[in-house]
Amino acid sequence: MNKSNQAERHNERMKRTKEIVDKRIAEAQEERGVFILLTGNGKGKSSSAFGMVARALGHGQKVAIVQFVKGRMETGEQNFFTQQDQVDFHVMGDGFTWETQNRDKDIASAQQAWKIAKGILQDVRYDLVVLDEMTYMFKYDYLDLEDIISTIKQRPNLQNIIITGRGAKKSLKQAADTVSVIMDEKHAFKAGVKAQKGIEW
Ligand code: ATP
Ligand code: MG
């Protein structure tokens, strides 16, 4: 095929793609907030959520972040986003540990964090709500999934919400508008590379 034929075919293909994309854009008319669920074993769930926080802030939006893991260590995201006027950042109380020694204490911490999150999900001032690592609360039966799903469904119409964490339950996936399951194909940590500041935390 000569060059001008190739260019012509390319233009024709791009024209068809544009028609399809334009049609889809014209069809997507509904204006409402979305529920995004980022799950799976691959790296990139929380960092994707924080990327959207940065986007939202770039548009002057108001954001709340609730992390459902105890504040184990200083994280870059906490250091950075707590400095932003438009961000409310909450970390679940110190009661939660992975090697759980005191289930009752963990449940109390989880419920306290959920109480804060629930208030946010009823507050029209927040444009974006991130519930980071929340899926573990259902895995350990620390929180009632049905209560959370109904609260999400009743939230202010334009409010966006992102939940992250591995092993999301089926009912949570069904409730979400967008579900990304991030696959773990390869991870440096498994090859013995130490966790990196600015990359991992
Ligand atoms: P990130 O915050 O980097 O986007 P994540 O939220 O997708 O990661 P989590 O399951 O919350 O992943 O795990 C948190 C930590 O574990 C991060 O330091 C992350 O880099 C690391 N991690 C994530 N996936 C893997 C993996 N498949 N193997 C080893 N470590 C991982
Ligand atoms: Mg995470």
Side-chain angles (χ1 to χ4, degrees):
M1 202 189 313
N2 68 34
K3 268 202 171 142
S4 80
N5 266 349
Q6 214 175 3
E8 214 171 281
R9 280 178 64 157
H10 176 80
N11 288 346
E12 194 50 43
R13 212 165 37 220
M14 287 298 116
K15 205 179 135 206
R16 272 201 309 262
T17 304
K18 184 174 158 33
E19 279 165 14
I20 293 166
V21 173
D22 285 350
K23 185 165 177 274
R24 287 207 190 122
I25 292 170
E27 277 167 5
Q29 284 297 331
E30 196 181 350
E31 186 134 343
R32 64 168 173 89
V34 288
F35 168 19
I36 300 171
L37 178 61
L38 304 172
T39 190
N41 293 335
K43 171 176 168 57
K45 301 174 290 293
S46 299
S47 44
S48 165
F50 292 122
M52 285 180 265
V53 171
R55 276 191 177 160
L57 293 176
H59 293 292
Q61 295 187 350
K62 189 170 173 65
V63 181
I65 299 162
V66 183
Q67 288 192 306
F68 284 83
V69 281
K70 84 169 199 172
R72 317 138 284 191
M73 53 147 110
E74 183 183 61
T75 62
E77 61 265 26
Q78 186 171 4
N79 290 348
F80 181 74
F81 287 117
T82 49
Q83 290 171 23
Q84 309 301 313
D85 290 341
Q86 288 287 78
V87 177
D88 288 338
F89 202 111
H90 303 272
V91 181
M92 198 165 95
D94 277 346
F96 184 71
T97 68
W98 293 113
E99 300 84 28
T100 193
Q101 303 292 322
N102 188 338
R103 193 177 149 82
D104 291 344
K105 206 173 155 206
D106 288 355
I107 291 172
S109 301
Q111 282 174 346
Q112 200 195 357
W114 169 236
K115 206 175 144 190
I116 293 169
K118 193 168 182 168
I120 291 165
L121 290 167
Q122 292 165 342
D123 189 336
V124 72
R125 287 173 305 160
Y126 292 97
D127 300 293
L128 173 62
V129 183
V130 176
L131 306 179
D132 191 33
E133 316 299 346
M134 196 190 209
T135 55
Y136 302 102
M137 303 300 106
F138 312 123
K139 183 177 172 197
Y140 298 131
D141 271 329
Y142 285 176
L143 294 176
D144 176 19
L145 186 52
E146 290 316 310
D147 178 24
I148 279 120
I149 290 174
S150 73
T151 305
I152 290 173
K153 286 190 174 149
Q154 287 162 40
R155 75 191 189 283
N157 191 41
L158 294 177
Q159 190 179 73
N160 292 308
I161 171 173
I162 306 170
I163 291 184
T164 83
R166 299 178 187 207
K169 301 234 179 197
K170 204 172 153 191
S171 56
L172 201 60
K173 286 183 174 173
Q174 281 165 347
D177 299 294
T178 298
V179 180
S180 293
V181 182
I182 299 174
M183 198 185 80
D184 174 33
E185 183 157 318
K186 215 174 170 188
H187 196 291
F189 183 70
K190 287 185 183 140
V193 183
K194 274 176 84 169
Q196 308 274 321
K197 185 189 238 178
I199 297 292
E200 256 84 43
W201 80 90

